[in-house]
Amino acid sequence: MKPLLITIDGPSGAGKTTTTRLLADRLDYRYIDTGALYRGVALAAISKGLSPDDDTALEKLCSTLKMEFIPGEKGLRLISNGSDITDQIRTPEISMFASAVSARPVVRHFLLDLQRHLGRDKNAVFEGRDMGTVVFPDADVKFFLDASQKIRSLRRFEELKLVSPQSLEAVERDMRRRDKNDSTRNLAPLKPAEDAIRVDSTDLSIEAVVGRMLTVIENIIIR
Ligand code: DC
């Protein structure tokens, strides 16, 4: 099979991460969670006490930040300047800060180069918000994964129970705020690429979502 680069964009809670991992597993591809990179920048900025709109300080921070994914027992680990930050970046505070810094051009510019570098050999599934529109406009297959607001909040609520429990109301409020930030920012807002295939996961299991995606991929390869 010729090497493919596959992108999955969509709002939080649509099931991107689980889908991306399973799809990559089925294809024996790498998966790259680009939201983790924005979260890595957010964690570094918070630990230095930076404001999410201080472009000068963020630019300086990015110039000293070396992030890489390395394989671990339960999937890829994110290493930032030598420290494993995989488990620290999943809190509601980091989610909101990541959304704020992701609107800053200096941060997007820094991560654009890193993401394109990670995608240079293809054989990968990239998930994020602007994979199909900005980072990899020439990707071989693009998906836009969505689900109803209610189901997305419920999924995030269940996920957070394990790391940082919150009420369903708080999860829903944060999600609405973050969706608004991510889809109304000037630079690389969350939106489907014109040639993206839309999949709604509201009433579908992850297996069913991945099954649909594999069918699309097979059809594209045969064509
Ligand atoms: O997918 P996530 O929730 O881990 O992403 C965290 C934040 O990072 C999200 O609110 C928006 C931002 N992000 C982005 O702007 N572009 C991406 N490709 C991935 C994430």
Side-chain angles (χ1 to χ4, degrees), residues 122-172:
K122 296 202 170 193
N123 287 320
V125 188
F126 277 76
E127 65 141 306
R129 304 290 191 288
D130 62 338
M131 296 297 100
T133 49
V134 175
V135 181
F136 300 113
D138 298 328
D140 300 286
V141 192
K142 300 178 185 177
F143 293 105
F144 191 84
L145 186 62
D146 207 348
S148 70
Q149 169 74 51
K150 198 165 163 230
I151 199 85
R152 293 195 293 115
S153 305
L154 264 172
R155 285 177 187 161
R156 187 42 56 93
F157 171 71
E158 291 297 333
E159 261 170 42
L160 281 173
K161 259 190 193 167
L162 305 171
V163 281
S164 178
Q166 277 193 311
S167 69
L168 182 59
E169 292 70 34
V171 171
E172 191 163 344

mmCIF file of all heavy atoms in Angstrom, residues 122-172:
data_model
loop_
_atom_site.group_PDB
_atom_site.id
_atom_site.type_symbol
_atom_site.label_atom_id
_atom_site.label_comp_id
_atom_site.label_asym_id
_atom_site.label_seq_id
_atom_site.Cartn_x
_atom_site.Cartn_y
_atom_site.Cartn_z
ATOM 1 N N LYS A 122 4.970 10.372 5.952
ATOM 2 C CA LYS A 122 3.591 9.843 5.819
ATOM 3 C C LYS A 122 3.394 8.630 6.735
ATOM 4 O O LYS A 122 3.929 8.606 7.820
ATOM 5 C CB LYS A 122 3.285 9.525 4.368
ATOM 6 C CG LYS A 122 3.302 10.774 3.479
ATOM 7 C CD LYS A 122 2.508 10.508 2.241
ATOM 8 C CE LYS A 122 2.285 11.791 1.449
ATOM 9 N NZ LYS A 122 1.265 11.610 0.428
ATOM 10 N N ASN A 123 2.619 7.625 6.289
ATOM 11 C CA ASN A 123 2.313 6.473 7.155
ATOM 12 C C ASN A 123 1.868 6.931 8.536
ATOM 13 O O ASN A 123 2.317 6.396 9.564
ATOM 14 C CB ASN A 123 3.528 5.559 7.324
ATOM 15 C CG ASN A 123 3.821 4.754 6.080
ATOM 16 O OD1 ASN A 123 2.896 4.276 5.429
ATOM 17 N ND2 ASN A 123 5.075 4.634 5.738
ATOM 18 N N ALA A 124 0.989 7.932 8.575
ATOM 19 C CA ALA A 124 0.604 8.492 9.870
ATOM 20 C C ALA A 124 -0.822 9.023 9.829
ATOM 21 O O ALA A 124 -1.338 9.393 8.773
ATOM 22 C CB ALA A 124 1.562 9.634 10.239
ATOM 23 N N VAL A 125 -1.447 9.024 11.009
ATOM 24 C CA VAL A 125 -2.761 9.639 11.180
ATOM 25 C C VAL A 125 -2.568 10.809 12.149
ATOM 26 O O VAL A 125 -2.093 10.623 13.269
ATOM 27 C CB VAL A 125 -3.791 8.655 11.778
ATOM 28 C CG1 VAL A 125 -5.180 9.282 11.759
ATOM 29 C CG2 VAL A 125 -3.801 7.324 11.046
ATOM 30 N N PHE A 126 -2.900 12.002 11.686
ATOM 31 C CA PHE A 126 -2.758 13.210 12.504
ATOM 32 C C PHE A 126 -4.129 13.688 12.947
ATOM 33 O O PHE A 126 -5.024 13.837 12.117
ATOM 34 C CB PHE A 126 -2.103 14.336 11.691
ATOM 35 C CG PHE A 126 -0.610 14.264 11.651
ATOM 36 C CD1 PHE A 126 0.024 13.336 10.837
ATOM 37 C CD2 PHE A 126 0.167 15.126 12.414
ATOM 38 C CE1 PHE A 126 1.403 13.256 10.793
ATOM 39 C CE2 PHE A 126 1.555 15.055 12.379
ATOM 40 C CZ PHE A 126 2.179 14.122 11.574
ATOM 41 N N GLU A 127 -4.277 13.960 14.237
ATOM 42 C CA GLU A 127 -5.549 14.526 14.696
ATOM 43 C C GLU A 127 -5.352 15.932 15.261
ATOM 44 O O GLU A 127 -4.302 16.229 15.840
ATOM 45 C CB GLU A 127 -6.191 13.635 15.756
ATOM 46 C CG GLU A 127 -5.394 13.539 17.037
ATOM 47 C CD GLU A 127 -6.252 13.525 18.283
ATOM 48 O OE1 GLU A 127 -7.074 14.443 18.461
ATOM 49 O OE2 GLU A 127 -6.065 12.602 19.081
ATOM 50 N N GLY A 128 -6.350 16.787 15.033
ATOM 51 C CA GLY A 128 -6.252 18.149 15.553
ATOM 52 C C GLY A 128 -7.440 18.991 15.151
ATOM 53 O O GLY A 128 -8.584 18.519 15.122
ATOM 54 N N ARG A 129 -7.166 20.275 14.873
ATOM 55 C CA ARG A 129 -8.235 21.195 14.477
ATOM 56 C C ARG A 129 -8.025 21.722 13.060
ATOM 57 O O ARG A 129 -8.964 22.085 12.378
ATOM 58 C CB ARG A 129 -8.275 22.417 15.428
ATOM 59 C CG ARG A 129 -8.435 22.105 16.899
ATOM 60 C CD ARG A 129 -9.822 21.572 17.189
ATOM 61 N NE ARG A 129 -10.115 21.489 18.615
ATOM 62 C CZ ARG A 129 -9.600 20.619 19.457
ATOM 63 N NH1 ARG A 129 -8.740 19.712 19.016
ATOM 64 N NH2 ARG A 129 -9.945 20.599 20.737
ATOM 65 N N ASP A 130 -6.753 21.785 12.638
ATOM 66 C CA ASP A 130 -6.433 22.396 11.334
ATOM 67 C C ASP A 130 -5.531 21.498 10.507
ATOM 68 O O ASP A 130 -4.764 21.980 9.679
ATOM 69 C CB ASP A 130 -5.735 23.740 11.556
ATOM 70 C CG ASP A 130 -4.405 23.587 12.298
ATOM 71 O OD1 ASP A 130 -4.218 22.552 12.990
ATOM 72 O OD2 ASP A 130 -3.545 24.473 12.185
ATOM 73 N N MET A 131 -5.617 20.201 10.735
ATOM 74 C CA MET A 131 -4.722 19.274 10.015
ATOM 75 C C MET A 131 -5.016 19.300 8.511
ATOM 76 O O MET A 131 -4.113 19.410 7.689
ATOM 77 C CB MET A 131 -4.902 17.837 10.545
ATOM 78 C CG MET A 131 -4.518 17.630 11.975
ATOM 79 S SD MET A 131 -2.764 17.943 12.234
ATOM 80 C CE MET A 131 -2.820 19.582 12.902
ATOM 81 N N GLY A 132 -6.303 19.192 8.169
ATOM 82 C CA GLY A 132 -6.675 19.127 6.751
ATOM 83 C C GLY A 132 -6.737 20.488 6.079
ATOM 84 O O GLY A 132 -6.644 20.586 4.863
ATOM 85 N N THR A 133 -6.895 21.546 6.872
ATOM 86 C CA THR A 133 -7.036 22.877 6.267
ATOM 87 C C THR A 133 -5.691 23.592 6.113
ATOM 88 O O THR A 133 -5.452 24.243 5.100
ATOM 89 C CB THR A 133 -7.959 23.764 7.136
ATOM 90 O OG1 THR A 133 -7.519 23.677 8.500
ATOM 91 C CG2 THR A 133 -9.420 23.367 7.024
ATOM 92 N N VAL A 134 -4.824 23.497 7.122
ATOM 93 C CA VAL A 134 -3.605 24.314 7.129
ATOM 94 C C VAL A 134 -2.315 23.486 7.149
ATOM 95 O O VAL A 134 -1.407 23.723 6.350
ATOM 96 C CB VAL A 134 -3.617 25.278 8.351
ATOM 97 C CG1 VAL A 134 -2.311 26.054 8.453
ATOM 98 C CG2 VAL A 134 -4.804 26.225 8.274
ATOM 99 N N VAL A 135 -2.234 22.543 8.066
ATOM 100 C CA VAL A 135 -0.944 21.852 8.256
ATOM 101 C C VAL A 135 -0.655 20.906 7.084
ATOM 102 O O VAL A 135 0.441 20.908 6.533
ATOM 103 C CB VAL A 135 -0.898 21.111 9.620
ATOM 104 C CG1 VAL A 135 0.454 20.424 9.809
ATOM 105 C CG2 VAL A 135 -1.152 22.090 10.767
ATOM 106 N N PHE A 136 -1.670 20.112 6.708
ATOM 107 C CA PHE A 136 -1.478 19.171 5.593
ATOM 108 C C PHE A 136 -2.594 19.334 4.557
ATOM 109 O O PHE A 136 -3.438 18.444 4.380
ATOM 110 C CB PHE A 136 -1.461 17.726 6.114
ATOM 111 C CG PHE A 136 -0.363 17.447 7.114
ATOM 112 C CD1 PHE A 136 -0.675 17.163 8.440
ATOM 113 C CD2 PHE A 136 0.972 17.485 6.733
ATOM 114 C CE1 PHE A 136 0.331 16.910 9.366
ATOM 115 C CE2 PHE A 136 1.987 17.237 7.656
ATOM 116 C CZ PHE A 136 1.658 16.947 8.977
ATOM 117 N N PRO A 137 -2.619 20.470 3.843
ATOM 118 C CA PRO A 137 -3.699 20.667 2.866
ATOM 119 C C PRO A 137 -3.682 19.609 1.758
ATOM 120 O O PRO A 137 -4.697 19.380 1.111
ATOM 121 C CB PRO A 137 -3.440 22.077 2.314
ATOM 122 C CG PRO A 137 -2.050 22.421 2.707
ATOM 123 C CD PRO A 137 -1.698 21.604 3.901
ATOM 124 N N ASP A 138 -2.517 18.942 1.552
ATOM 125 C CA ASP A 138 -2.437 17.909 0.509
ATOM 126 C C ASP A 138 -2.544 16.499 1.069
ATOM 127 O O ASP A 138 -2.135 15.538 0.402
ATOM 128 C CB ASP A 138 -1.100 18.039 -0.257
ATOM 129 C CG ASP A 138 -0.994 19.375 -0.956
ATOM 130 O OD1 ASP A 138 -2.052 19.888 -1.376
ATOM 131 O OD2 ASP A 138 0.123 19.903 -1.054
ATOM 132 N N ALA A 139 -3.079 16.360 2.267
ATOM 133 C CA ALA A 139 -3.204 15.021 2.876
ATOM 134 C C ALA A 139 -3.959 14.090 1.933
ATOM 135 O O ALA A 139 -4.809 14.532 1.158
ATOM 136 C CB ALA A 139 -3.942 15.135 4.205
ATOM 137 N N ASP A 140 -3.660 12.800 2.010
ATOM 138 C CA ASP A 140 -4.283 11.827 1.097
ATOM 139 C C ASP A 140 -5.751 11.596 1.437
ATOM 140 O O ASP A 140 -6.574 11.409 0.543
ATOM 141 C CB ASP A 140 -3.515 10.505 1.167
ATOM 142 C CG ASP A 140 -2.073 10.689 0.758
ATOM 143 O OD1 ASP A 140 -1.837 10.850 -0.446
ATOM 144 O OD2 ASP A 140 -1.190 10.735 1.641
ATOM 145 N N VAL A 141 -6.066 11.550 2.730
ATOM 146 C CA VAL A 141 -7.460 11.354 3.149
ATOM 147 C C VAL A 141 -7.721 12.273 4.342
ATOM 148 O O VAL A 141 -6.934 12.303 5.292
ATOM 149 C CB VAL A 141 -7.729 9.900 3.605
ATOM 150 C CG1 VAL A 141 -9.232 9.665 3.756
ATOM 151 C CG2 VAL A 141 -7.139 8.883 2.640
ATOM 152 N N LYS A 142 -8.824 13.031 4.258
ATOM 153 C CA LYS A 142 -9.152 13.960 5.357
ATOM 154 C C LYS A 142 -10.528 13.615 5.923
ATOM 155 O O LYS A 142 -11.485 13.465 5.164
ATOM 156 C CB LYS A 142 -9.220 15.399 4.840
ATOM 157 C CG LYS A 142 -7.933 15.892 4.217
ATOM 158 C CD LYS A 142 -8.133 17.304 3.695
ATOM 159 C CE LYS A 142 -6.904 17.776 2.953
ATOM 160 N NZ LYS A 142 -7.098 19.117 2.384
ATOM 161 N N PHE A 143 -10.584 13.542 7.256
ATOM 162 C CA PHE A 143 -11.875 13.314 7.909
ATOM 163 C C PHE A 143 -12.186 14.490 8.818
ATOM 164 O O PHE A 143 -11.272 15.111 9.387
ATOM 165 C CB PHE A 143 -11.838 12.040 8.757
ATOM 166 C CG PHE A 143 -11.696 10.776 7.950
ATOM 167 C CD1 PHE A 143 -10.487 10.097 7.904
ATOM 168 C CD2 PHE A 143 -12.778 10.269 7.234
ATOM 169 C CE1 PHE A 143 -10.347 8.932 7.165
ATOM 170 C CE2 PHE A 143 -12.651 9.106 6.489
ATOM 171 C CZ PHE A 143 -11.435 8.438 6.457
ATOM 172 N N PHE A 144 -13.484 14.775 8.977
ATOM 173 C CA PHE A 144 -13.925 15.731 9.993
ATOM 174 C C PHE A 144 -14.908 14.976 10.868
ATOM 175 O O PHE A 144 -15.975 14.565 10.425
ATOM 176 C CB PHE A 144 -14.581 16.957 9.368
ATOM 177 C CG PHE A 144 -14.796 18.064 10.366
ATOM 178 C CD1 PHE A 144 -13.771 18.957 10.668
ATOM 179 C CD2 PHE A 144 -16.012 18.199 11.031
ATOM 180 C CE1 PHE A 144 -13.951 19.967 11.607
ATOM 181 C CE2 PHE A 144 -16.191 19.206 11.973
ATOM 182 C CZ PHE A 144 -15.168 20.093 12.257
ATOM 183 N N LEU A 145 -14.498 14.758 12.126
ATOM 184 C CA LEU A 145 -15.292 13.942 13.042
ATOM 185 C C LEU A 145 -16.045 14.860 14.002
ATOM 186 O O LEU A 145 -15.446 15.700 14.674
ATOM 187 C CB LEU A 145 -14.337 13.023 13.824
ATOM 188 C CG LEU A 145 -14.972 11.980 14.729
ATOM 189 C CD1 LEU A 145 -15.828 11.000 13.938
ATOM 190 C CD2 LEU A 145 -13.882 11.219 15.488
ATOM 191 N N ASP A 146 -17.354 14.684 14.050
ATOM 192 C CA ASP A 146 -18.175 15.547 14.917
ATOM 193 C C ASP A 146 -19.159 14.676 15.702
ATOM 194 O O ASP A 146 -19.301 13.480 15.436
ATOM 195 C CB ASP A 146 -18.935 16.568 14.050
ATOM 196 C CG ASP A 146 -19.248 17.830 14.827
ATOM 197 O OD1 ASP A 146 -19.094 17.841 16.070
ATOM 198 O OD2 ASP A 146 -19.679 18.816 14.202
ATOM 199 N N ALA A 147 -19.841 15.283 16.678
ATOM 200 C CA ALA A 147 -20.906 14.608 17.435
ATOM 201 C C ALA A 147 -21.709 15.706 18.099
ATOM 202 O O ALA A 147 -21.267 16.868 18.155
ATOM 203 C CB ALA A 147 -20.307 13.668 18.477
ATOM 204 N N SER A 148 -22.898 15.354 18.616
ATOM 205 C CA SER A 148 -23.735 16.377 19.245
ATOM 206 C C SER A 148 -23.030 16.937 20.488
ATOM 207 O O SER A 148 -22.209 16.250 21.111
ATOM 208 C CB SER A 148 -25.074 15.773 19.658
ATOM 209 O OG SER A 148 -24.871 14.887 20.744
ATOM 210 N N GLN A 149 -23.372 18.184 20.818
ATOM 211 C CA GLN A 149 -22.787 18.835 21.993
ATOM 212 C C GLN A 149 -22.992 17.973 23.251
ATOM 213 O O GLN A 149 -22.090 17.805 24.068
ATOM 214 C CB GLN A 149 -23.453 20.206 22.167
ATOM 215 C CG GLN A 149 -23.161 20.915 23.465
ATOM 216 C CD GLN A 149 -21.750 21.485 23.502
ATOM 217 O OE1 GLN A 149 -21.355 22.186 22.570
ATOM 218 N NE2 GLN A 149 -20.999 21.190 24.538
ATOM 219 N N LYS A 150 -24.200 17.403 23.368
ATOM 220 C CA LYS A 150 -24.539 16.644 24.573
ATOM 221 C C LYS A 150 -23.637 15.417 24.732
ATOM 222 O O LYS A 150 -23.065 15.176 25.791
ATOM 223 C CB LYS A 150 -26.012 16.214 24.471
ATOM 224 C CG LYS A 150 -26.590 15.808 25.776
ATOM 225 C CD LYS A 150 -28.103 15.745 25.700
ATOM 226 C CE LYS A 150 -28.616 14.951 26.880
ATOM 227 N NZ LYS A 150 -29.532 13.918 26.525
ATOM 228 N N ILE A 151 -23.470 14.684 23.662
ATOM 229 C CA ILE A 151 -22.676 13.454 23.752
ATOM 230 C C ILE A 151 -21.191 13.789 23.933
ATOM 231 O O ILE A 151 -20.461 13.102 24.648
ATOM 232 C CB ILE A 151 -22.935 12.504 22.539
ATOM 233 C CG1 ILE A 151 -22.485 11.074 22.857
ATOM 234 C CG2 ILE A 151 -22.259 12.923 21.289
ATOM 235 C CD1 ILE A 151 -23.499 10.283 23.577
ATOM 236 N N ARG A 152 -20.757 14.886 23.319
ATOM 237 C CA ARG A 152 -19.344 15.282 23.479
ATOM 238 C C ARG A 152 -19.055 15.648 24.930
ATOM 239 O O ARG A 152 -18.026 15.265 25.484
ATOM 240 C CB ARG A 152 -19.004 16.449 22.539
ATOM 241 C CG ARG A 152 -19.060 16.032 21.070
ATOM 242 C CD ARG A 152 -18.404 17.030 20.147
ATOM 243 N NE ARG A 152 -19.091 18.298 20.058
ATOM 244 C CZ ARG A 152 -18.593 19.461 20.472
ATOM 245 N NH1 ARG A 152 -17.370 19.523 20.981
ATOM 246 N NH2 ARG A 152 -19.285 20.558 20.353
ATOM 247 N N SER A 153 -19.979 16.377 25.557
ATOM 248 C CA SER A 153 -19.784 16.762 26.966
ATOM 249 C C SER A 153 -19.764 15.516 27.852
ATOM 250 O O SER A 153 -18.943 15.406 28.765
ATOM 251 C CB SER A 153 -20.908 17.669 27.455
ATOM 252 O OG SER A 153 -21.031 18.774 26.629
ATOM 253 N N LEU A 154 -20.680 14.595 27.573
ATOM 254 C CA LEU A 154 -20.741 13.367 28.382
ATOM 255 C C LEU A 154 -19.446 12.561 28.273
ATOM 256 O O LEU A 154 -18.925 12.063 29.273
ATOM 257 C CB LEU A 154 -21.896 12.497 27.896
ATOM 258 C CG LEU A 154 -23.202 12.635 28.660
ATOM 259 C CD1 LEU A 154 -24.299 11.862 27.943
ATOM 260 C CD2 LEU A 154 -23.051 12.111 30.085
ATOM 261 N N ARG A 155 -18.932 12.470 27.061
ATOM 262 C CA ARG A 155 -17.686 11.707 26.859
ATOM 263 C C ARG A 155 -16.537 12.363 27.621
ATOM 264 O O ARG A 155 -15.744 11.694 28.268
ATOM 265 C CB ARG A 155 -17.340 11.645 25.368
ATOM 266 C CG ARG A 155 -18.215 10.691 24.592
ATOM 267 C CD ARG A 155 -17.850 10.756 23.123
ATOM 268 N NE ARG A 155 -18.761 9.988 22.299
ATOM 269 C CZ ARG A 155 -18.898 10.166 20.995
ATOM 270 N NH1 ARG A 155 -18.203 11.088 20.366
ATOM 271 N NH2 ARG A 155 -19.750 9.428 20.315
ATOM 272 N N ARG A 156 -16.438 13.690 27.513
ATOM 273 C CA ARG A 156 -15.355 14.391 28.203
ATOM 274 C C ARG A 156 -15.508 14.260 29.719
ATOM 275 O O ARG A 156 -14.530 14.080 30.450
ATOM 276 C CB ARG A 156 -15.358 15.859 27.749
ATOM 277 C CG ARG A 156 -14.237 16.781 28.180
ATOM 278 C CD ARG A 156 -12.861 16.225 28.134
ATOM 279 N NE ARG A 156 -12.360 15.673 26.882
ATOM 280 C CZ ARG A 156 -11.678 16.337 25.985
ATOM 281 N NH1 ARG A 156 -11.425 17.599 26.141
ATOM 282 N NH2 ARG A 156 -11.215 15.734 24.914
ATOM 283 N N PHE A 157 -16.754 14.310 30.192
ATOM 284 C CA PHE A 157 -17.058 14.146 31.618
ATOM 285 C C PHE A 157 -16.521 12.790 32.097
ATOM 286 O O PHE A 157 -15.852 12.699 33.132
ATOM 287 C CB PHE A 157 -18.580 14.248 31.794
ATOM 288 C CG PHE A 157 -19.088 13.892 33.155
ATOM 289 C CD1 PHE A 157 -18.865 14.732 34.243
ATOM 290 C CD2 PHE A 157 -19.812 12.720 33.355
ATOM 291 C CE1 PHE A 157 -19.347 14.404 35.504
ATOM 292 C CE2 PHE A 157 -20.294 12.390 34.605
ATOM 293 C CZ PHE A 157 -20.054 13.224 35.678
ATOM 294 N N GLU A 158 -16.788 11.745 31.328
ATOM 295 C CA GLU A 158 -16.332 10.397 31.700
ATOM 296 C C GLU A 158 -14.803 10.317 31.694
ATOM 297 O O GLU A 158 -14.204 9.737 32.588
ATOM 298 C CB GLU A 158 -16.899 9.338 30.728
ATOM 299 C CG GLU A 158 -18.405 9.136 30.836
ATOM 300 C CD GLU A 158 -18.842 8.604 32.210
ATOM 301 O OE1 GLU A 158 -18.032 7.937 32.872
ATOM 302 O OE2 GLU A 158 -19.985 8.886 32.613
ATOM 303 N N GLU A 159 -14.187 10.934 30.687
ATOM 304 C CA GLU A 159 -12.719 10.912 30.591
ATOM 305 C C GLU A 159 -12.089 11.611 31.789
ATOM 306 O O GLU A 159 -11.126 11.132 32.372
ATOM 307 C CB GLU A 159 -12.289 11.724 29.365
ATOM 308 C CG GLU A 159 -11.970 10.945 28.120
ATOM 309 C CD GLU A 159 -11.803 11.919 26.958
ATOM 310 O OE1 GLU A 159 -11.170 12.987 27.117
ATOM 311 O OE2 GLU A 159 -12.366 11.608 25.917
ATOM 312 N N LEU A 160 -12.660 12.771 32.142
ATOM 313 C CA LEU A 160 -12.076 13.581 33.215
ATOM 314 C C LEU A 160 -12.238 12.936 34.587
ATOM 315 O O LEU A 160 -11.459 13.222 35.497
ATOM 316 C CB LEU A 160 -12.692 14.983 33.220
ATOM 317 C CG LEU A 160 -12.131 15.936 32.170
ATOM 318 C CD1 LEU A 160 -12.929 17.229 32.148
ATOM 319 C CD2 LEU A 160 -10.661 16.251 32.419
ATOM 320 N N LYS A 161 -13.241 12.065 34.724
ATOM 321 C CA LYS A 161 -13.466 11.373 36.000
ATOM 322 C C LYS A 161 -12.178 10.723 36.495
ATOM 323 O O LYS A 161 -11.906 10.663 37.679
ATOM 324 C CB LYS A 161 -14.500 10.262 35.792
ATOM 325 C CG LYS A 161 -15.880 10.609 36.241
ATOM 326 C CD LYS A 161 -16.716 9.340 36.190
ATOM 327 C CE LYS A 161 -18.175 9.668 36.327
ATOM 328 N NZ LYS A 161 -19.011 8.508 35.969
ATOM 329 N N LEU A 162 -11.385 10.222 35.554
ATOM 330 C CA LEU A 162 -10.171 9.492 35.904
ATOM 331 C C LEU A 162 -9.028 10.419 36.307
ATOM 332 O O LEU A 162 -8.188 10.062 37.120
ATOM 333 C CB LEU A 162 -9.712 8.631 34.716
ATOM 334 C CG LEU A 162 -10.741 7.657 34.146
ATOM 335 C CD1 LEU A 162 -10.236 7.039 32.857
ATOM 336 C CD2 LEU A 162 -11.055 6.563 35.172
ATOM 337 N N VAL A 163 -8.964 11.610 35.714
ATOM 338 C CA VAL A 163 -7.806 12.477 35.977
ATOM 339 C C VAL A 163 -8.123 13.719 36.802
ATOM 340 O O VAL A 163 -7.334 14.126 37.668
ATOM 341 C CB VAL A 163 -7.111 12.930 34.664
ATOM 342 C CG1 VAL A 163 -6.228 11.856 34.121
ATOM 343 C CG2 VAL A 163 -8.086 13.419 33.624
ATOM 344 N N SER A 164 -9.275 14.331 36.550
ATOM 345 C CA SER A 164 -9.584 15.598 37.211
ATOM 346 C C SER A 164 -11.106 15.798 37.211
ATOM 347 O O SER A 164 -11.630 16.569 36.406
ATOM 348 C CB SER A 164 -8.848 16.697 36.433
ATOM 349 O OG SER A 164 -9.089 17.940 36.932
ATOM 350 N N PRO A 165 -11.815 15.098 38.119
ATOM 351 C CA PRO A 165 -13.282 15.073 38.040
ATOM 352 C C PRO A 165 -13.910 16.457 38.152
ATOM 353 O O PRO A 165 -13.451 17.294 38.934
ATOM 354 C CB PRO A 165 -13.683 14.212 39.245
ATOM 355 C CG PRO A 165 -12.457 13.546 39.709
ATOM 356 C CD PRO A 165 -11.293 14.347 39.259
ATOM 357 N N GLN A 166 -14.952 16.671 37.353
ATOM 358 C CA GLN A 166 -15.699 17.939 37.346
ATOM 359 C C GLN A 166 -17.171 17.617 37.166
ATOM 360 O O GLN A 166 -17.503 16.540 36.666
ATOM 361 C CB GLN A 166 -15.274 18.764 36.136
ATOM 362 C CG GLN A 166 -14.009 19.567 36.307
ATOM 363 C CD GLN A 166 -13.905 20.563 35.179
ATOM 364 O OE1 GLN A 166 -14.066 20.213 34.030
ATOM 365 N NE2 GLN A 166 -13.658 21.803 35.513
ATOM 366 N N SER A 167 -18.049 18.563 37.509
ATOM 367 C CA SER A 167 -19.472 18.315 37.281
ATOM 368 C C SER A 167 -19.740 18.365 35.769
ATOM 369 O O SER A 167 -18.983 19.002 35.016
ATOM 370 C CB SER A 167 -20.313 19.385 37.976
ATOM 371 O OG SER A 167 -20.132 20.625 37.327
ATOM 372 N N LEU A 168 -20.830 17.712 35.367
ATOM 373 C CA LEU A 168 -21.188 17.707 33.942
ATOM 374 C C LEU A 168 -21.428 19.133 33.445
ATOM 375 O O LEU A 168 -21.038 19.490 32.331
ATOM 376 C CB LEU A 168 -22.421 16.817 33.729
ATOM 377 C CG LEU A 168 -22.904 16.655 32.293
ATOM 378 C CD1 LEU A 168 -21.815 16.069 31.405
ATOM 379 C CD2 LEU A 168 -24.144 15.769 32.227
ATOM 380 N N GLU A 169 -22.030 19.966 34.299
ATOM 381 C CA GLU A 169 -22.321 21.368 33.918
ATOM 382 C C GLU A 169 -21.008 22.111 33.637
ATOM 383 O O GLU A 169 -20.893 22.844 32.665
ATOM 384 C CB GLU A 169 -23.075 22.110 35.032
ATOM 385 C CG GLU A 169 -24.487 21.636 35.288
ATOM 386 C CD GLU A 169 -24.553 20.236 35.931
ATOM 387 O OE1 GLU A 169 -23.650 19.919 36.738
ATOM 388 O OE2 GLU A 169 -25.471 19.471 35.596
ATOM 389 N N ALA A 170 -20.003 21.899 34.523
ATOM 390 C CA ALA A 170 -18.722 22.597 34.340
ATOM 391 C C ALA A 170 -18.042 22.115 33.055
ATOM 392 O O ALA A 170 -17.472 22.918 32.299
ATOM 393 C CB ALA A 170 -17.823 22.355 35.554
ATOM 394 N N VAL A 171 -18.128 20.817 32.803
ATOM 395 C CA VAL A 171 -17.503 20.259 31.592
ATOM 396 C C VAL A 171 -18.155 20.878 30.361
ATOM 397 O O VAL A 171 -17.482 21.323 29.422
ATOM 398 C CB VAL A 171 -17.649 18.709 31.559
ATOM 399 C CG1 VAL A 171 -17.194 18.147 30.217
ATOM 400 C CG2 VAL A 171 -16.858 18.074 32.686
ATOM 401 N N GLU A 172 -19.491 20.959 30.385
ATOM 402 C CA GLU A 172 -20.221 21.486 29.231
ATOM 403 C C GLU A 172 -19.910 22.972 29.023
ATOM 404 O O GLU A 172 -19.682 23.412 27.898
ATOM 405 C CB GLU A 172 -21.719 21.270 29.427
ATOM 406 C CG GLU A 172 -22.474 21.546 28.159
ATOM 407 C CD GLU A 172 -23.884 20.954 28.174
ATOM 408 O OE1 GLU A 172 -24.172 20.094 29.017
ATOM 409 O OE2 GLU A 172 -24.674 21.376 27.333
#
